[in-house]
């Protein structure tokens, strides 16, 4: 496996058209500036790049497989389907790619404490994992609603040595956890590195997270070329804040023949208020440090959002996705709870893979689109995570009584 | 000259803060008028936001109270509150607001309406110097000051922020979010000296000030003191009796800082 190309995008200004920026309190500005400069330096530092590479290979289990889903392909009867298996990474999701990069940068900046926000707990677990590995202090902010719903992940983080803070402000979910993490950071900028979980927030986060996740498409492009000699016709990934999707798209953005599709969580339906379909239902705004698209009311208050998937339950999207949507380079489609749950069962039964409910939003779109495509066409679908964490809640959704 | 800047030429300024629509329309009008009657030199009105990242628990709770009855509380209702206030007092006013509220209303429309109602300044905690170009020329055209924040960790950013400032400069007393404190950063004096080297725009210290002693101490360093959470606590605690309490409190604070010479 080759080292990650961290210079994929020459635009390092933190602006994606009109989106992006650094809309953040003054207290954090110097620290963000230091971080941006440190990243610009270390991404070209051979020692840093080697360390990153070795951790991805030896610790995170990269490269991840590009797996030809023969049964799904046959069953759907259209395009050939390849699954990019981020579920096989250490800690079971793409999140580890990003935290390895950020924690390594933190270490080189002399930081000793990592903080993070988490929704379902996946990013919190990944951060706690890497903090344990580096011997760093770790504190994770998680909405009280989510600590109640995801007790197992709370325990897992504690097991890894992290301290978990249940956040009781606002609606007590992911966006409130981000608020709390930002607030903690303003109190303690000197020794603390905020390890952001998605390609969101103020510059340089969207850029860094995209670069660290771009290993997904760097690998898939080479793997597909090896296996078929071709470029894919379409790449599909689920979108919460957009980190696995931007990583899945990054190396194809300059290939106009490759269609890029983000699957958003429509919850009970794009037209309902119980949704998290930011690109389809949202509008331009400024929040969490970035100008991007958000689900908000007319006054500009951020809406509560809903999805069965805690990892997609976010009222915004990273600024580069807003830009890709606006320019038409990528399309974003809403997948409902029902469709995602159906895909969860489908891929389990067809391919023997229990995939994360987040990832199943992408799978559901593949089920719809593949039959409409030609047999010589190719879709790469990113499986961002494994679904063990979701088994109990899907059983509950289906009305099955299982004794935990 | 900026109306806000002029305030500081005459006296050390006391700048209390309450949240609009906390507890309701009438209550806000009464509270702001009481603050003016008590001797407030500028009143800062917070526009409630669903996710006030720069604010501590007290102001967060006020924002929740303000939005409880109507999560869609239109900005025009808040402008109506100001219009009502304007019938009773000409005290200089500033809004504290997160940028998204201004962005959604439209920068031109928002600042034009502020100018009409005599809202002389905007404090926007999530709009740092680097991002102010999109709003600054429009605000300037409409005669509304953008009040920048400078913090104990602004370091080499101090000069560029101060040079661009109009109205006054909000000096953040210490790291973290808004809320009452017993201690402040110990190099605030140096920070203000650095600001004064590059601008004659006055300074007011905020974040954490709640006692008269603290206000007196802070106005030995700066030209004014901003008090948020303490006022918001009075509103929360006293309900309909809040105006009388706010007036008393303002008188005490004003008396404490008036002992300091201007300049
Ligand atoms: C497995 C999995 N996929 C996707 C996501 C969504 O995040 P993002 O859009 O940043 O990839 C999450 C977030 O927790 C996740 O755990």
């Amino acid at each position: 496996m080759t080292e990650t190309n961290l210079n994929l995008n020459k635009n390092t200004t933190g602006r994606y058209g009109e989106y992006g920026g650094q809309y953040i309190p003054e207290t954090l500005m110097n620290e963000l500036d230091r971080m941006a400069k440190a990243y610009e330096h270390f991404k070209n530092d051979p020692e840093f790049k080697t360390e990153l590479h070795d951790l991805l290979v030896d610790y995170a289990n990269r490269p991840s497989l590009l797996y030809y889903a023969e049964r799904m392909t046959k069953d759907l009867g259209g395009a050939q389907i390849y699954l990019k298996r981020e579920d096989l990474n250490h800690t079971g999701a793409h999140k580890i790619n990003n935290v390895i990069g950020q924690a390594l940068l933190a270490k080189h900046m002399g930081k000793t404490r990592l903080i993070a926000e988490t929704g379902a707990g996946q990013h919190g677990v990944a951060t706690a994992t890497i903090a344990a590995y580096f011997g760093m202090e770790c504190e994770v902010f998680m909405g009280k609603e989510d600590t109640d719903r995801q007790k197992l992940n709370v325990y897992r983080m504690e097991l890894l040595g992290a301290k978990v803070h249940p956040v009781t402000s606002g609606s007590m979910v992911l966006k409130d956890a981000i608020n709390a993490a930002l607030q903690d950071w303003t109190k303690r900028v000197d020794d603390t590195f905020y390890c952001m979980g998605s390609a969101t927030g103020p510059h340089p986060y969207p850029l860094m997270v995209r670069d660290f996740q771009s290993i997904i498409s760097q690998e898939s492009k080479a793997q597909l070329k090896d296996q078929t000699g071709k470029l894919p016709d379409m790449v599909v990934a689920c979108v919460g804040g957009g980190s696995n999707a931007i990583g899945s798209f990054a190396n194809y953005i300059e290939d106009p023949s490759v269609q890029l599709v983000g699957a958003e969580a429509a919850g009970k339906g794009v037209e309902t208020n119980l949704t998290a379909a930011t690109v389809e239902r949202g509008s331009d705004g400024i929040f969490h440090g970035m100008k991007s698209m958000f689900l908000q009311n007319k006054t500009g208050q951020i809406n509560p959002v809903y999805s069965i998937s805690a990892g997609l339950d976010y009222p915004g999207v990273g600024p580069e996705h807003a830009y890709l949507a606006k320019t038409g380079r990528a399309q974003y489609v809403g997948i409902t709870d029902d469709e995602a749950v159906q895909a969860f069962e489908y891929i389990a039964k067809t391919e023997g893979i229990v995939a994360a409910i987040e990832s199943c939003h992408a799978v559901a779109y593949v089920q719809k689109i593949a039959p409409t495509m030609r047999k010589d066409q190719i879709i790469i679908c990113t499986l961002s995570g494994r679904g063990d964490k979701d088994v109990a809640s899907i059983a509950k959704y289906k009305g099955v009584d299982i004794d935990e | 000259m900026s109306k806000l800047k002029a305030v500081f030429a005459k006296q050390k300024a006391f700048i209390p803060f309450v949240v609009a629509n906390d507890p309701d329309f009438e209550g806000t009008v009464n509270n702001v008028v009481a603050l003016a009657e008590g001797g407030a030199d500028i009143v800062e009105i917070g526009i409630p936001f669903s996710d006030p990242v720069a604010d501590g628990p007290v102001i967060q709770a006020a924002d929740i109270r303000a939005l409880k009855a109507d999560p869609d509380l239109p900005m025009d209702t808040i402008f109506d509150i100001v219009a009502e206030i304007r019938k009773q007092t000409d005290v200089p006013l500033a809004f504290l607001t997160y940028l998204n509220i201004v962005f959604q209303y439209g920068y031109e429309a928002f600042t034009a309406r502020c100018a009409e109602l005599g809202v002389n300044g905007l404090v926007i905690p999530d709009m740092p110097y680097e991002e102010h170009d999109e709003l600054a020329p429009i605000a300037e055209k409409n005669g509304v000051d953008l009040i920048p924040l400078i913090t104990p960790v602004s370091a080499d950013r101090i000069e560029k922020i101060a040079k661009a400032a109009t109205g006054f400069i909000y000096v953040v007393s210490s790291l973290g979010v808004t809320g009452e404190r017993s201690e402040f950063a110990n190099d605030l004096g140096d920070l203000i000296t650095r600001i004064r080297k590059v601008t004659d725009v006055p300074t007011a210290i905020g974040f954490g000030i709640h006692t008269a002693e603290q206000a007196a101490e802070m106005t030995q360093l700066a030209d004014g003191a901003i008090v948020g959470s303490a006022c918001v606590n009075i509103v929360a605690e006293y309900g309909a009796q809040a105006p009388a309490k706010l007036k008393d409190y303002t008188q005490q604070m004003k008396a404490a800082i008036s002992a300091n010479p201007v300049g």
Side-chain angles (χ1 to χ4, degrees):
Chain A
M1 169 185 149
T2 48
E3 283 181 353
T4 314
N5 176 6
L6 298 174
N7 283 297
L8 200 54
N9 194 330
K10 300 288 178 275
N11 169 12
T12 57
T13 59
R15 282 282 175 183
Y16 309 87
E18 73 223 70
Y19 301 111
Q22 288 183 309
Y23 299 87
I24 206 81
E26 171 60 22
T27 312
L28 294 173
M29 286 301 286
N30 261 323
E31 191 56 28
L32 285 173
D33 192 40
R34 266 194 287 276
M35 187 185 285
K37 289 197 174 112
Y39 178 62
E40 281 305 307
H41 170 76
F42 285 112
K43 77 179 191 185
N44 295 311
D45 177 59
E47 192 190 330
F48 180 90
K49 283 165 60 182
T50 306
E51 273 181 286
L52 176 66
H53 179 75
D54 290 350
L55 280 163
L56 289 175
V57 172
D58 301 332
Y59 191 65
N61 193 31
R62 299 209 72 89
S64 70
L65 296 176
L66 182 72
Y67 162 81
Y68 175 48
E70 197 177 348
R71 288 150 209 84
M72 241 177 106
T73 301
K74 217 173 254 164
D75 182 61
L76 295 172
Q80 299 161 43
I81 299 158
Y82 286 78
L83 301 174
K84 183 60 178 160
R85 301 288 307 275
E86 295 300 303
D87 58 315
L88 300 176
N89 298 340
H90 180 39
T91 71
H94 68 293
K95 300 281 178 189
I96 194 80
N97 306 330
N98 171 39
V99 299
I100 286 177
Q102 287 194 46
L104 198 57
L105 182 65
K107 197 184 95 172
H108 281 275
M109 288 176 73
K111 303 289 179 179
T112 54
R113 177 174 177 259
L114 294 180
I115 58 170
E117 86 291 346
T118 197
Q122 295 305 105
H123 174 61
V125 167
T127 307
T129 299
I130 202 69
Y133 179 90
F134 280 131
M136 292 165 117
E137 200 184 330
C138 180
E139 297 188 33
V140 178
F141 296 83
M142 187 170 182
K144 175 79 168 46
E145 286 275 324
D146 293 329
T147 54
D148 290 346
R149 280 191 294 202
Q150 302 283 341
K151 290 201 179 79
L152 195 62
N153 267 342
V154 173
Y155 183 71
R156 196 170 284 155
M157 287 183 264
E158 288 167 352
L159 187 66
L160 291 158
K163 184 165 170 22
V164 179
H165 298 279
V167 175
T168 55
S169 57
S171 41
M172 304 191 214
V173 293
L174 178 59
K175 80 175 164 76
D176 311 286
I178 296 177
N179 297 344
L182 284 168
Q183 294 194 341
D184 179 89
W185 202 24
T186 60
K187 284 180 215 156
R188 214 173 142 178
V189 280
D190 50 340
D191 68 342
T192 299
F193 188 102
Y194 179 9
C195 188
M196 180 82 67
S198 193
T200 50
H203 178 67
Y205 286 111
L207 175 77
M208 275 193 319
V209 176
R210 188 270 315 272
D211 287 352
F212 292 138
Q213 292 293 0
S214 70
I215 189 67
I216 300 173
S217 51
Q218 184 176 318
E219 286 174 6
S220 75
K221 198 172 194 176
Q223 289 166 319
L224 191 70
K225 187 144 191 271
D226 267 2
Q227 294 177 34
T228 69
K230 293 205 264 187
L231 274 176
D233 295 279
M234 181 185 284
V235 176
V236 184
C238 67
V239 179
S243 69
N244 91 87
I246 204 70
S248 302
F249 296 170
N251 284 270
Y252 300 109
I253 290 173
E254 304 295 325
D255 297 315
S257 69
V258 182
Q259 212 185 327
L260 307 173
V261 181
E264 301 192 296
K268 300 286 185 197
V270 171
E271 301 311 322
T272 72
N273 285 331
L274 293 172
T275 186
T278 306
V279 176
E280 287 151 291
R281 272 292 294 282
S283 54
D284 289 359
I286 297 166
F287 182 52
H288 279 164
M290 56 182 169
K291 189 177 279 179
S292 189
M293 298 185 80
F294 298 96
L295 289 162
Q296 57 188 327
N297 68 22
K298 216 170 147 274
T299 310
Q301 311 291 349
I302 304 303
N303 284 347
V305 291
Y306 166 82
S307 160
I308 187 173
S309 144
L312 303 183
D313 205 348
Y314 181 66
V317 70
E320 196 168 358
H321 284 294
Y323 178 69
L324 293 174
K326 180 118 183 188
T327 56
R329 178 64 192 92
Q331 280 75 50
Y332 296 82
V333 295
I335 296 294
T336 63
D337 285 0
D338 284 347
E339 291 170 327
V341 168
Q342 167 280 126
F344 185 82
E345 295 177 319
Y346 176 79
I347 192 172
K349 296 210 164 69
T350 318
E351 289 292 344
I353 297 172
V354 177
I357 189 68
E358 288 81 11
S359 320
C360 290
H361 286 72
V363 174
Y365 181 71
V366 170
Q367 286 179 268
K368 290 187 196 182
I369 198 73
T372 72
M373 293 168 68
R374 295 190 317 269
K375 287 190 168 149
D376 63 329
Q377 291 186 300
I378 295 174
I379 300 175
I380 295 179
C381 174
T382 300
L383 290 191
S384 55
R386 69 174 179 233
D388 310 47
K389 66 182 179 59
D390 301 309
V391 172
S393 63
I394 301 299
K396 195 167 154 205
Y397 184 85
K398 301 289 290 184
V400 179
D401 193 15
I402 51 168
D403 224 351
E404 277 187 76
Chain B
M1 177 159 87
S2 149
K3 191 165 175 194
L4 294 178
K5 187 179 176 191
V7 166
F8 297 83
K10 292 174 283 195
Q11 70 255 302
K12 293 284 183 179
F14 177 63
I15 309 171
F17 166 94
V18 289
V19 172
N21 210 44
D22 172 30
D24 53 23
F25 190 109
E26 282 298 304
T28 309
V29 174
N30 296 339
N31 289 338
V32 173
V33 171
L35 291 166
E37 286 172 1
D41 299 295
I42 300 168
V43 178
E44 214 187 303
I45 299 175
I47 297 174
F49 186 51
S50 52
D51 296 84
V53 278
D55 287 296
V58 169
I59 295 175
Q60 279 183 34
D63 285 7
I64 290 171
R65 287 195 298 275
L67 293 172
K68 192 148 204 162
D70 181 11
D72 294 337
L73 179 73
M75 191 55 222
D76 281 327
T77 304
I78 294 171
F79 283 129
D80 289 346
I81 292 177
V82 177
E84 212 42 52
I85 292 167
R86 276 288 170 249
K87 290 181 186 161
Q88 301 182 51
T89 173
D90 62 359
V91 67
L93 294 173
F95 275 145
L96 183 138
T97 178
Y98 289 85
L99 186 55
N100 199 38
I101 304 284
V102 188
F103 182 73
Q104 295 311 324
Y105 200 88
Y107 292 158
E108 171 59 37
F110 193 98
T111 51
R113 191 82 182 104
C114 285
E116 269 169 34
L117 292 167
V119 176
N120 314 102
L122 299 177
V123 182
I124 308 179
D126 59 348
M127 190 187 64
Y129 175 83
E130 280 69 8
E131 305 296 356
H132 83 182
D133 279 355
E134 63 188 66
L135 176 58
I138 302 168
E140 189 184 339
K141 182 186 70 136
N142 285 320
V144 176
D145 293 319
L146 291 187
I147 312 302
L149 290 94
I150 292 183
T151 80
V153 290
S154 289
D156 52 358
R157 300 170 50 79
I158 294 173
E159 284 76 16
K160 69 178 171 195
I161 299 172
K163 275 186 197 157
T166 60
F168 67 94
I169 293 167
Y170 193 135
V171 175
V172 175
S173 72
S174 40
L175 300 185
V177 293
T178 56
E180 297 181 5
R181 291 171 170 56
S182 54
E183 279 180 48
F184 304 104
N186 48 24
D187 46 4
L188 289 175
D190 297 344
L191 204 150
I192 287 166
T193 306
R194 274 180 76 171
I195 294 172
R196 288 200 173 131
K197 273 197 187 128
V198 296
T199 181
D200 65 350
V201 172
T203 55
I205 302 182
F207 275 41
I209 301 174
H210 57 115
T211 69
E213 295 73 43
Q214 290 172 330
E217 190 193 334
M218 290 298 132
T219 47
Q220 278 167 21
L221 304 172
D223 307 304
I226 304 166
V227 173
S229 296
C231 295
V232 170
N233 265 332
I234 293 174
V235 174
E237 194 172 337
Y238 293 99
Q241 271 63 59
K245 294 281 176 189
L246 286 169
K247 191 172 167 181
D248 271 4
Y249 180 70
T250 302
Q251 283 166 344
Q252 286 166 34
M253 297 296 272
K254 184 68 190 162
I257 67 174
S258 296
N260 291 320
V262 178

